[in-house]
Short mmCIF file of all heavy atoms in Angstrom, two decimals:
data_model
loop_
_atom_site.label_atom_id
_atom_site.label_comp_id
_atom_site.label_asym_id
_atom_site.label_seq_id
_atom_site.Cartn_x
_atom_site.Cartn_y
_atom_site.Cartn_z
N MET A 52 -5.10 20.16 26.21
CA MET A 52 -5.93 19.04 26.37
C MET A 52 -6.76 18.73 25.23
O MET A 52 -6.98 19.58 24.41
CB MET A 52 -6.78 19.27 27.70
CG MET A 52 -5.96 19.51 28.98
SD MET A 52 -5.33 18.22 29.75
CE MET A 52 -5.37 17.04 30.34
N ALA A 53 -7.51 17.68 25.32
CA ALA A 53 -8.37 17.19 24.22
C ALA A 53 -9.83 17.66 24.44
O ALA A 53 -10.27 17.94 25.57
CB ALA A 53 -8.33 15.67 24.18
N ASP A 54 -10.53 17.83 23.38
CA ASP A 54 -12.01 18.17 23.33
C ASP A 54 -12.74 16.92 23.20
O ASP A 54 -12.45 16.05 22.30
CB ASP A 54 -12.31 19.17 22.17
CG ASP A 54 -11.63 20.55 22.40
OD1 ASP A 54 -11.51 20.95 23.53
OD2 ASP A 54 -11.38 21.10 21.36
N VAL A 55 -13.71 16.77 24.09
CA VAL A 55 -14.51 15.51 24.02
C VAL A 55 -15.81 15.97 23.15
O VAL A 55 -16.48 16.93 23.44
CB VAL A 55 -14.95 15.07 25.41
CG1 VAL A 55 -16.02 13.94 25.24
CG2 VAL A 55 -13.76 14.76 26.15
N VAL A 56 -16.08 15.21 22.14
CA VAL A 56 -17.19 15.48 21.28
C VAL A 56 -18.17 14.24 21.36
O VAL A 56 -17.76 13.14 21.11
CB VAL A 56 -16.62 15.61 19.74
CG1 VAL A 56 -17.89 15.85 18.88
CG2 VAL A 56 -15.68 16.78 19.64
N ARG A 57 -19.38 14.60 21.88
CA ARG A 57 -20.31 13.48 21.85
C ARG A 57 -21.09 13.41 20.59
O ARG A 57 -21.71 14.43 20.11
CB ARG A 57 -21.30 13.79 22.99
CG ARG A 57 -20.60 13.70 24.29
CD ARG A 57 -21.67 13.89 25.47
NE ARG A 57 -21.04 13.68 26.76
CZ ARG A 57 -20.36 14.55 27.53
NH1 ARG A 57 -20.10 15.75 26.97
NH2 ARG A 57 -19.91 14.29 28.61
N LEU A 58 -21.01 12.30 19.89
CA LEU A 58 -21.40 12.25 18.49
C LEU A 58 -22.91 12.42 18.39
O LEU A 58 -23.33 13.06 17.42
CB LEU A 58 -20.97 10.88 17.92
CG LEU A 58 -19.43 10.69 17.72
CD1 LEU A 58 -19.22 9.32 17.19
CD2 LEU A 58 -18.94 11.78 16.80
N LYS A 59 -23.71 11.95 19.33
CA LYS A 59 -25.12 12.20 19.22
C LYS A 59 -25.54 13.51 19.18
O LYS A 59 -26.44 13.99 18.51
CB LYS A 59 -25.89 11.24 20.27
CG LYS A 59 -25.84 9.76 20.04
CD LYS A 59 -26.69 9.05 21.09
CE LYS A 59 -26.74 7.59 20.81
NZ LYS A 59 -27.48 6.92 21.84
N GLU A 60 -24.95 14.31 20.16
CA GLU A 60 -25.24 15.74 20.18
C GLU A 60 -24.74 16.46 18.95
O GLU A 60 -25.39 17.34 18.43
CB GLU A 60 -24.65 16.28 21.41
CG GLU A 60 -25.18 15.88 22.79
CD GLU A 60 -24.33 16.30 23.96
OE1 GLU A 60 -23.48 17.18 23.81
OE2 GLU A 60 -24.65 15.77 25.06
N TRP A 61 -23.62 16.12 18.47
CA TRP A 61 -23.10 16.74 17.29
C TRP A 61 -23.88 16.47 16.02
O TRP A 61 -24.16 17.40 15.28
CB TRP A 61 -21.54 16.17 17.12
CG TRP A 61 -20.96 16.82 15.87
CD1 TRP A 61 -20.39 18.00 15.76
CD2 TRP A 61 -20.83 16.27 14.55
NE1 TRP A 61 -19.85 18.34 14.52
CE2 TRP A 61 -20.18 17.14 13.77
CE3 TRP A 61 -21.17 15.06 13.95
CZ2 TRP A 61 -19.86 16.98 12.43
CZ3 TRP A 61 -20.86 14.75 12.80
CH2 TRP A 61 -20.21 15.73 11.97
N LEU A 62 -24.32 15.23 15.88
CA LEU A 62 -25.22 14.85 14.86
C LEU A 62 -26.57 15.69 14.88
O LEU A 62 -27.13 15.96 13.78
CB LEU A 62 -25.48 13.34 14.75
CG LEU A 62 -24.29 12.54 14.30
CD1 LEU A 62 -24.59 11.01 14.39
CD2 LEU A 62 -23.91 12.75 12.84
N ALA A 63 -27.04 15.79 16.04
CA ALA A 63 -28.36 16.48 16.18
C ALA A 63 -28.24 17.95 15.72
O ALA A 63 -29.16 18.57 15.22
CB ALA A 63 -28.82 16.38 17.67
N ARG A 64 -27.09 18.67 15.99
CA ARG A 64 -26.86 20.02 15.61
C ARG A 64 -26.41 20.19 14.16
O ARG A 64 -26.66 21.28 13.63
CB ARG A 64 -25.79 20.62 16.53
CG ARG A 64 -26.20 20.78 17.98
CD ARG A 64 -25.10 21.51 18.67
NE ARG A 64 -23.83 20.84 18.43
CZ ARG A 64 -22.92 20.69 19.32
NH1 ARG A 64 -23.10 20.99 20.54
NH2 ARG A 64 -21.79 20.09 18.99
N THR A 65 -25.95 19.22 13.49
CA THR A 65 -25.37 19.26 12.21
C THR A 65 -26.53 19.11 11.21
O THR A 65 -27.24 18.11 11.38
CB THR A 65 -24.34 18.27 11.97
OG1 THR A 65 -23.33 18.35 12.94
CG2 THR A 65 -23.70 18.43 10.63
N PRO A 66 -26.68 20.02 10.21
CA PRO A 66 -27.77 19.81 9.15
C PRO A 66 -27.39 18.64 8.26
O PRO A 66 -26.21 18.30 8.12
CB PRO A 66 -27.66 21.15 8.38
CG PRO A 66 -26.34 21.73 8.67
CD PRO A 66 -25.82 21.25 9.95
N ARG A 67 -28.39 17.99 7.81
CA ARG A 67 -28.25 16.81 6.88
C ARG A 67 -27.69 17.28 5.59
O ARG A 67 -28.10 18.35 5.08
CB ARG A 67 -29.50 16.02 6.74
CG ARG A 67 -29.80 15.29 8.02
CD ARG A 67 -30.97 14.28 7.63
NE ARG A 67 -30.96 13.24 8.70
CZ ARG A 67 -30.63 11.95 8.39
NH1 ARG A 67 -30.42 11.66 7.21
NH2 ARG A 67 -30.66 11.19 9.39
N ARG A 68 -26.91 16.45 5.03
CA ARG A 68 -26.32 16.88 3.62
C ARG A 68 -27.34 16.31 2.59
O ARG A 68 -27.97 15.38 2.81
CB ARG A 68 -25.06 16.15 3.49
CG ARG A 68 -23.89 16.57 4.24
CD ARG A 68 -22.71 15.95 3.78
NE ARG A 68 -21.75 15.66 4.97
CZ ARG A 68 -20.62 15.02 4.95
NH1 ARG A 68 -20.23 14.41 3.81
NH2 ARG A 68 -19.87 14.90 5.97
N ALA A 69 -27.33 17.03 1.42
CA ALA A 69 -28.17 16.55 0.35
C ALA A 69 -27.56 15.38 -0.24
O ALA A 69 -26.28 15.27 -0.38
CB ALA A 69 -28.28 17.72 -0.74
N PRO A 70 -28.37 14.45 -0.72
CA PRO A 70 -27.80 13.19 -1.30
C PRO A 70 -27.09 13.56 -2.69
O PRO A 70 -27.56 14.42 -3.40
CB PRO A 70 -28.96 12.30 -1.50
CG PRO A 70 -30.21 13.14 -1.44
CD PRO A 70 -29.73 14.26 -0.62
N VAL A 71 -26.01 12.91 -2.93
CA VAL A 71 -25.20 13.20 -4.12
C VAL A 71 -25.57 12.13 -5.17
O VAL A 71 -25.39 10.94 -5.01
CB VAL A 71 -23.69 13.08 -3.77
CG1 VAL A 71 -22.82 13.40 -5.13
CG2 VAL A 71 -23.31 14.14 -2.74
N PRO A 72 -26.05 12.65 -6.27
CA PRO A 72 -26.35 11.58 -7.36
C PRO A 72 -25.09 11.07 -7.96
O PRO A 72 -24.08 11.83 -8.24
CB PRO A 72 -27.09 12.40 -8.41
CG PRO A 72 -26.72 13.86 -8.23
CD PRO A 72 -26.35 13.97 -6.78
N HIS A 73 -25.06 9.81 -8.21
CA HIS A 73 -23.87 9.19 -8.82
C HIS A 73 -24.09 8.95 -10.32
O HIS A 73 -25.09 8.32 -10.69
CB HIS A 73 -23.64 7.80 -8.10
CG HIS A 73 -23.25 8.01 -6.62
ND1 HIS A 73 -22.12 8.58 -6.11
CD2 HIS A 73 -24.08 7.63 -5.56
CE1 HIS A 73 -22.23 8.55 -4.81
NE2 HIS A 73 -23.39 7.99 -4.44
N ALA A 74 -23.05 9.48 -11.07
CA ALA A 74 -23.24 9.38 -12.48
C ALA A 74 -22.93 7.89 -13.05
O ALA A 74 -23.49 7.56 -14.04
CB ALA A 74 -22.30 10.33 -13.30
N ALA A 75 -21.97 7.24 -12.35
CA ALA A 75 -21.61 5.92 -12.80
C ALA A 75 -21.50 5.03 -11.51
O ALA A 75 -21.35 5.55 -10.45
CB ALA A 75 -20.27 5.98 -13.49
N PRO A 76 -21.58 3.68 -11.74
CA PRO A 76 -21.40 2.88 -10.57
C PRO A 76 -19.94 2.86 -10.04
O PRO A 76 -19.07 3.35 -10.79
CB PRO A 76 -21.72 1.44 -11.09
CG PRO A 76 -21.55 1.62 -12.59
CD PRO A 76 -21.83 3.02 -13.02
N ALA A 77 -19.80 2.51 -8.78
CA ALA A 77 -18.47 2.61 -8.19
C ALA A 77 -17.50 1.50 -8.92
O ALA A 77 -18.07 0.46 -9.41
CB ALA A 77 -18.51 2.35 -6.70
N GLN A 78 -16.27 1.73 -8.94
CA GLN A 78 -15.28 0.74 -9.41
C GLN A 78 -14.31 0.54 -8.24
O GLN A 78 -13.87 1.36 -7.59
CB GLN A 78 -14.46 1.39 -10.56
CG GLN A 78 -15.40 1.62 -11.73
CD GLN A 78 -14.46 2.29 -12.89
OE1 GLN A 78 -13.37 2.57 -12.74
NE2 GLN A 78 -15.08 2.25 -14.13
N VAL A 79 -13.92 -0.72 -8.26
CA VAL A 79 -12.86 -1.18 -7.31
C VAL A 79 -11.63 -1.44 -8.12
O VAL A 79 -11.59 -2.31 -8.97
CB VAL A 79 -13.24 -2.44 -6.58
CG1 VAL A 79 -12.19 -2.94 -5.60
CG2 VAL A 79 -14.54 -2.18 -5.68
N LEU A 80 -10.58 -0.68 -7.82
CA LEU A 80 -9.35 -0.83 -8.53
C LEU A 80 -8.26 -1.44 -7.65
O LEU A 80 -8.09 -1.08 -6.48
CB LEU A 80 -8.86 0.55 -9.02
CG LEU A 80 -9.88 1.29 -9.89
CD1 LEU A 80 -9.29 2.79 -10.17
CD2 LEU A 80 -10.15 0.63 -11.12
N LEU A 81 -7.59 -2.49 -8.19
CA LEU A 81 -6.57 -3.14 -7.39
C LEU A 81 -5.18 -2.81 -7.97
O LEU A 81 -5.03 -3.01 -9.14
CB LEU A 81 -6.86 -4.64 -7.33
CG LEU A 81 -8.12 -5.07 -6.85
CD1 LEU A 81 -8.29 -6.63 -6.95
CD2 LEU A 81 -8.26 -4.68 -5.30
N PHE A 82 -4.33 -2.48 -7.08
CA PHE A 82 -2.94 -2.26 -7.59
C PHE A 82 -2.19 -3.53 -7.29
O PHE A 82 -2.03 -3.96 -6.18
CB PHE A 82 -2.35 -1.03 -6.82
CG PHE A 82 -0.86 -0.81 -7.01
CD1 PHE A 82 -0.43 -0.43 -8.30
CD2 PHE A 82 0.10 -1.16 -6.19
CE1 PHE A 82 0.87 -0.17 -8.53
CE2 PHE A 82 1.41 -0.99 -6.42
CZ PHE A 82 1.82 -0.57 -7.69
N THR A 83 -1.76 -4.19 -8.39
CA THR A 83 -1.01 -5.41 -8.28
C THR A 83 0.45 -5.27 -8.69
O THR A 83 1.09 -6.25 -9.02
CB THR A 83 -1.77 -6.53 -9.10
OG1 THR A 83 -1.63 -6.00 -10.48
CG2 THR A 83 -3.19 -6.77 -8.62
N GLY A 84 1.01 -4.17 -8.53
CA GLY A 84 2.39 -3.86 -8.98
C GLY A 84 3.46 -4.27 -7.95
O GLY A 84 4.59 -4.09 -8.25
N VAL A 85 3.06 -4.86 -6.82
CA VAL A 85 4.06 -5.22 -5.76
C VAL A 85 3.92 -6.63 -5.70
O VAL A 85 2.95 -7.21 -5.45
CB VAL A 85 3.72 -4.42 -4.52
CG1 VAL A 85 4.83 -4.88 -3.43
CG2 VAL A 85 3.76 -2.95 -4.74
N ARG A 86 5.13 -7.27 -5.69
CA ARG A 86 5.20 -8.71 -5.51
C ARG A 86 6.04 -9.02 -4.31
O ARG A 86 7.13 -8.56 -4.08
CB ARG A 86 5.76 -9.44 -6.69
CG ARG A 86 5.86 -10.89 -6.61
CD ARG A 86 6.37 -11.60 -7.94
NE ARG A 86 7.86 -11.28 -7.90
CZ ARG A 86 8.50 -11.63 -8.90
NH1 ARG A 86 8.07 -12.16 -9.96
NH2 ARG A 86 9.92 -11.36 -8.95
N TYR A 87 5.53 -9.81 -3.41
CA TYR A 87 6.25 -10.28 -2.19
C TYR A 87 6.74 -11.66 -2.35
O TYR A 87 6.00 -12.57 -2.91
CB TYR A 87 5.38 -10.13 -0.99
CG TYR A 87 4.97 -8.76 -0.74
CD1 TYR A 87 3.69 -8.26 -1.11
CD2 TYR A 87 5.78 -7.89 0.01
CE1 TYR A 87 3.33 -6.98 -0.83
CE2 TYR A 87 5.35 -6.59 0.28
CZ TYR A 87 4.17 -6.19 -0.11
OH TYR A 87 3.79 -4.86 0.16
N GLU A 88 7.94 -11.91 -2.08
CA GLU A 88 8.49 -13.31 -2.09
C GLU A 88 9.12 -13.67 -0.80
O GLU A 88 9.68 -12.78 -0.03
CB GLU A 88 9.69 -13.33 -3.14
CG GLU A 88 9.33 -13.10 -4.60
CD GLU A 88 10.48 -13.16 -5.55
OE1 GLU A 88 11.55 -13.34 -4.95
OE2 GLU A 88 10.28 -13.09 -6.71
N ARG A 89 9.10 -14.88 -0.52
CA ARG A 89 9.70 -15.47 0.70
C ARG A 89 11.02 -16.18 0.17
O ARG A 89 10.74 -17.19 -0.54
CB ARG A 89 8.84 -16.34 1.55
CG ARG A 89 9.63 -16.96 2.68
CD ARG A 89 8.78 -17.75 3.58
NE ARG A 89 7.92 -16.82 4.27
CZ ARG A 89 6.81 -17.09 4.93
NH1 ARG A 89 6.41 -18.32 4.89
NH2 ARG A 89 6.02 -16.16 5.52
N LEU A 90 12.15 -15.77 0.47
CA LEU A 90 13.34 -16.31 -0.11
C LEU A 90 13.85 -17.46 0.80
O LEU A 90 13.85 -17.34 1.98
CB LEU A 90 14.43 -15.31 -0.20
CG LEU A 90 14.20 -14.10 -1.18
CD1 LEU A 90 15.29 -13.22 -1.16
CD2 LEU A 90 13.92 -14.70 -2.59
N THR A 91 14.14 -18.62 0.14
CA THR A 91 14.71 -19.80 0.82
C THR A 91 16.19 -19.62 0.97
O THR A 91 16.78 -18.86 0.14
CB THR A 91 14.36 -21.09 0.26
OG1 THR A 91 14.87 -21.07 -1.10
CG2 THR A 91 12.86 -21.25 0.08
N PRO A 92 16.90 -20.27 1.80
CA PRO A 92 18.34 -20.21 1.83
C PRO A 92 18.96 -20.55 0.49
O PRO A 92 19.98 -19.88 0.04
CB PRO A 92 18.65 -21.23 2.91
CG PRO A 92 17.47 -21.26 3.87
CD PRO A 92 16.33 -21.07 2.91
N ALA A 93 18.37 -21.49 -0.28
CA ALA A 93 18.97 -21.86 -1.58
C ALA A 93 18.83 -20.67 -2.57
O ALA A 93 19.68 -20.40 -3.39
CB ALA A 93 18.23 -23.10 -2.09
N MET A 94 17.73 -19.98 -2.50
CA MET A 94 17.53 -18.86 -3.39
C MET A 94 18.48 -17.74 -3.01
O MET A 94 19.00 -17.06 -3.94
CB MET A 94 16.06 -18.39 -3.33
CG MET A 94 15.10 -19.31 -3.78
SD MET A 94 13.38 -18.87 -3.38
CE MET A 94 13.14 -17.54 -4.61
N LEU A 95 18.73 -17.49 -1.78
CA LEU A 95 19.67 -16.45 -1.28
C LEU A 95 21.14 -16.84 -1.88
O LEU A 95 21.88 -16.00 -2.30
CB LEU A 95 19.65 -16.33 0.24
CG LEU A 95 18.37 -15.71 0.76
CD1 LEU A 95 18.50 -15.78 2.23
CD2 LEU A 95 18.32 -14.24 0.28
N ALA A 96 21.47 -18.08 -1.74
CA ALA A 96 22.86 -18.55 -2.18
C ALA A 96 22.92 -18.32 -3.69
O ALA A 96 24.02 -17.93 -4.17
CB ALA A 96 23.03 -20.05 -1.89
N ALA A 97 21.83 -18.63 -4.57
CA ALA A 97 21.84 -18.38 -5.89
C ALA A 97 21.98 -16.95 -6.30
O ALA A 97 22.74 -16.55 -7.19
CB ALA A 97 20.68 -19.07 -6.59
N ARG A 98 21.43 -16.10 -5.50
CA ARG A 98 21.50 -14.62 -5.75
C ARG A 98 22.84 -14.18 -5.50
O ARG A 98 23.43 -13.35 -6.15
CB ARG A 98 20.53 -13.88 -4.92
CG ARG A 98 19.12 -13.89 -5.40
CD ARG A 98 18.37 -12.88 -4.69
NE ARG A 98 16.95 -12.82 -5.23
CZ ARG A 98 16.10 -11.87 -4.90
NH1 ARG A 98 16.34 -11.12 -3.91
NH2 ARG A 98 14.91 -11.80 -5.53
N GLY A 99 23.55 -14.74 -4.40
CA GLY A 99 24.84 -14.29 -4.08
C GLY A 99 25.89 -14.69 -5.16
O GLY A 99 26.75 -14.03 -5.54
N LYS A 100 25.67 -15.89 -5.71
CA LYS A 100 26.50 -16.42 -6.78
C LYS A 100 26.35 -15.46 -7.95
O LYS A 100 27.32 -15.11 -8.65
CB LYS A 100 26.28 -17.83 -7.12
CG LYS A 100 26.75 -18.72 -6.02
CD LYS A 100 26.43 -20.14 -6.41
CE LYS A 100 26.79 -21.15 -5.38
NZ LYS A 100 26.37 -22.54 -5.71
N ALA A 101 25.15 -15.09 -8.35
CA ALA A 101 24.83 -14.26 -9.55
C ALA A 101 25.43 -12.93 -9.29
O ALA A 101 25.98 -12.35 -10.38
CB ALA A 101 23.40 -14.17 -9.80
N ALA A 102 25.44 -12.42 -8.12
CA ALA A 102 25.94 -11.11 -7.90
C ALA A 102 27.51 -10.99 -8.01
O ALA A 102 28.12 -10.11 -8.54
CB ALA A 102 25.56 -10.55 -6.51
N LYS A 103 28.11 -12.19 -7.49
CA LYS A 103 29.55 -12.26 -7.68
C LYS A 103 30.02 -12.44 -9.02
O LYS A 103 30.88 -11.83 -9.56
CB LYS A 103 30.07 -13.45 -6.83
CG LYS A 103 29.98 -13.26 -5.40
CD LYS A 103 30.43 -14.52 -4.61
CE LYS A 103 30.21 -14.39 -3.10
NZ LYS A 103 30.57 -15.62 -2.37
N THR A 104 29.26 -13.25 -9.76
CA THR A 104 29.54 -13.48 -11.24
C THR A 104 29.38 -12.17 -11.98
O THR A 104 30.27 -11.81 -12.81
CB THR A 104 28.68 -14.49 -11.90
OG1 THR A 104 28.76 -15.61 -11.09
CG2 THR A 104 28.99 -14.83 -13.30
N SER A 105 28.38 -11.39 -11.81
CA SER A 105 28.17 -10.13 -12.47
C SER A 105 29.25 -9.09 -12.20
O SER A 105 29.70 -8.31 -12.95
CB SER A 105 26.79 -9.52 -12.32
OG SER A 105 26.63 -9.24 -10.99
N ALA A 106 29.72 -9.12 -10.88
CA ALA A 106 30.75 -8.15 -10.45
C ALA A 106 32.13 -8.51 -11.09
O ALA A 106 32.87 -7.66 -11.60
CB ALA A 106 30.95 -8.24 -8.99
N GLN A 107 32.37 -9.90 -11.30
CA GLN A 107 33.47 -10.25 -11.99
C GLN A 107 33.47 -9.92 -13.47
O GLN A 107 34.49 -9.55 -14.06
CB GLN A 107 33.83 -11.82 -11.78
CG GLN A 107 34.15 -12.17 -10.36
CD GLN A 107 34.14 -13.72 -10.13
OE1 GLN A 107 33.83 -14.45 -11.00
NE2 GLN A 107 34.56 -14.18 -8.93
N ASP A 108 32.33 -10.07 -14.07
CA ASP A 108 32.21 -9.77 -15.55
C ASP A 108 32.50 -8.29 -15.72
O ASP A 108 33.12 -7.92 -16.75
CB ASP A 108 30.78 -10.13 -16.05
CG ASP A 108 30.67 -11.70 -16.06
OD1 ASP A 108 31.58 -12.43 -16.07
OD2 ASP A 108 29.53 -12.15 -16.11
N THR A 109 31.91 -7.48 -14.88
CA THR A 109 32.11 -6.01 -15.12
C THR A 109 33.55 -5.58 -14.86
O THR A 109 34.14 -4.67 -15.46
CB THR A 109 31.27 -5.17 -14.21
OG1 THR A 109 31.41 -5.59 -12.85
CG2 THR A 109 29.79 -5.36 -14.53
N ALA A 110 34.30 -6.30 -13.98
CA ALA A 110 35.68 -6.09 -13.71
C ALA A 110 36.61 -6.35 -14.93
O ALA A 110 37.57 -5.83 -15.20
CB ALA A 110 36.20 -6.68 -12.44
N ARG A 111 36.25 -7.41 -15.68
CA ARG A 111 36.99 -7.89 -16.89
C ARG A 111 36.81 -7.02 -18.06
O ARG A 111 37.64 -7.01 -18.86
CB ARG A 111 36.48 -9.33 -17.18
CG ARG A 111 36.87 -10.35 -16.12
CD ARG A 111 36.48 -11.69 -16.60
NE ARG A 111 36.59 -12.63 -15.50
CZ ARG A 111 36.02 -13.79 -15.45
NH1 ARG A 111 35.31 -14.22 -16.50
NH2 ARG A 111 36.24 -14.64 -14.47
N ARG A 112 35.74 -6.26 -18.09
CA ARG A 112 35.47 -5.44 -19.33
C ARG A 112 36.37 -4.33 -19.29
O ARG A 112 36.66 -3.71 -18.20
CB ARG A 112 33.98 -4.98 -19.29
CG ARG A 112 33.03 -6.12 -19.52
CD ARG A 112 31.67 -5.58 -19.55
NE ARG A 112 30.70 -6.72 -19.66
CZ ARG A 112 29.44 -6.62 -19.43
NH1 ARG A 112 28.90 -5.47 -19.05
NH2 ARG A 112 28.66 -7.74 -19.53
N PRO A 113 36.85 -3.82 -20.43
CA PRO A 113 37.78 -2.67 -20.54
C PRO A 113 37.10 -1.40 -20.33
O PRO A 113 36.02 -1.10 -20.35
CB PRO A 113 38.38 -2.79 -21.91
CG PRO A 113 37.60 -3.79 -22.74
CD PRO A 113 36.75 -4.55 -21.76
#
């Protein structure tokens, strides 16, 4: 079963932590390496044609 923890009681029993001095200001880093696209039916058809063409090109090579 689960243990019920009452936060007010827990905080009263827990000693306060010493404040941590910060050597530098905080930085917010954004990862922009993922791109999301919504493909339209025309874009899907163009991709299909490109895939067929590249498959035919590789089949022709010796």
